[in-house]
Amino acid sequence: MKINKKKFIYLISPNKITNSFYNDLKLILKTRKVSFFQLRLKSYSQSKKMIIGEKIKNICKKNKVKFIINDDPLLTLKLDADGCHLGQKDMNIRVAKKILGKKIIGITCHNSIILARKAIKAKADYIAFGAFNQSKTKKIKYVASVKILNKIKKFTKIPTVAIGGINAVNYKNLLLNNANFLAISGYIWKNKKYKPLEAIERLK
């Protein structure tokens, strides 16, 4: 998987998709700062996710952004998305690989070198760590420090994704400490000060 230092953002969808979302997404992806977009909708039906997913896939394709589905290899296959992100309680990566073939599979490793080694052994395409900061998007069960990003890079070249409360104040420290991509959601979609495009433009 190629790493483009200028496209360091791994954008995660808001929890609810509003009418203004699609236009905001188009504007954001045109900044050429986003490598991945993950569809993460916990409270929507499969049929609704399909409709939303098709629209997002087309926007991602036009902007050369990889379209990732959260937690659901079967939906990934139905939408013909670029890949799937799996948590530790989701489908086993080996089973997911049989379903998805050569599509991208990323794994949440929390703050654990052991989980990271398992994911690397199972040939994950990227590994995600966090939370590095307090987050409003989801409850924090695991806290990670930049030490883990630096440790990981000593024994693997697999891309790393940092997650958790990332914003314009704290993002540079993660990039300087070996994070290849920054997973961002709340700072973009729930920002009370800036509109989504303005928020992303502050990440230079």
Side-chain angles (χ1 to χ4, degrees), residues 14-200:
N15 295 328
K16 288 182 180 176
I17 303 296
T18 59
N19 291 332
S20 63
F21 164 78
Y22 298 105
N23 194 47
D24 283 332
L25 183 63
K26 285 175 189 174
L27 294 172
I28 285 170
L29 298 193
K30 278 178 184 172
T31 64
R32 300 278 179 261
K33 292 182 180 190
V34 180
S35 275
F36 301 92
F37 178 87
Q38 185 191 119
L39 184 65
R40 183 180 184 275
L41 298 174
K42 296 287 188 181
S43 59
Y44 283 66
S45 66
Q46 286 295 94
S47 57
K48 192 77 174 152
K49 285 180 191 177
M50 283 291 294
I51 294 163
I52 293 166
E54 285 291 350
K55 287 183 185 177
I56 293 171
K57 183 174 80 169
N58 291 332
I59 297 168
C60 286
K61 220 171 193 175
K62 282 177 186 172
N63 291 281
K64 295 179 181 172
V65 170
K66 299 289 185 193
F67 179 40
I68 307 292
I69 303 296
N70 185 56
D71 292 354
D72 195 334
L74 295 174
L75 182 62
T76 305
L77 202 64
K78 281 180 189 173
L79 278 167
D80 192 24
D82 295 297
C84 184
H85 182 86
L86 297 173
Q88 289 295 323
K89 292 178 182 176
D90 297 322
M91 185 185 287
N92 181 283
I93 184 173
R94 289 180 177 86
V95 179
K97 274 192 175 292
K98 285 177 184 174
I99 294 167
L100 297 176
K102 291 184 177 179
K103 289 186 185 292
I104 296 164
I105 299 180
I107 303 286
T108 294
C109 297
H110 303 307
N111 55 4
S112 168
I113 294 282
I114 293 166
L115 292 178
R117 285 189 185 275
K118 279 184 184 175
I120 293 161
K121 195 176 179 184
K123 295 189 165 60
D125 294 286
Y126 68 79
I127 45 179
F129 298 98
F132 286 92
N133 307 281
Q134 288 298 314
S135 170
K136 291 175 185 174
T137 306
K138 58 193 283 192
K139 285 181 184 176
I140 290 175
K141 289 182 184 176
Y142 304 91
V143 176
S145 78
V146 292
K147 285 178 187 174
I148 198 162
L149 296 170
N150 293 315
K151 276 183 189 173
I152 287 293
K153 288 300 174 187
K154 286 177 182 173
F155 63 83
T156 184
K157 287 181 179 175
I158 189 169
T160 54
V161 179
I163 295 173
I166 299 169
N167 58 37
V169 175
N170 58 34
Y171 81 101
K172 274 189 181 169
N173 186 46
L174 292 164
L175 292 175
L176 291 169
N177 282 281
N178 285 314
N180 298 118
F181 303 101
L182 306 181
I184 298 176
S185 182
Y187 168 72
I188 302 298
W189 307 114
K190 292 182 182 175
N191 198 317
K192 288 174 183 174
K193 197 173 180 182
Y194 302 109
K195 288 178 181 176
L197 179 62
E198 292 169 326
I200 211 149

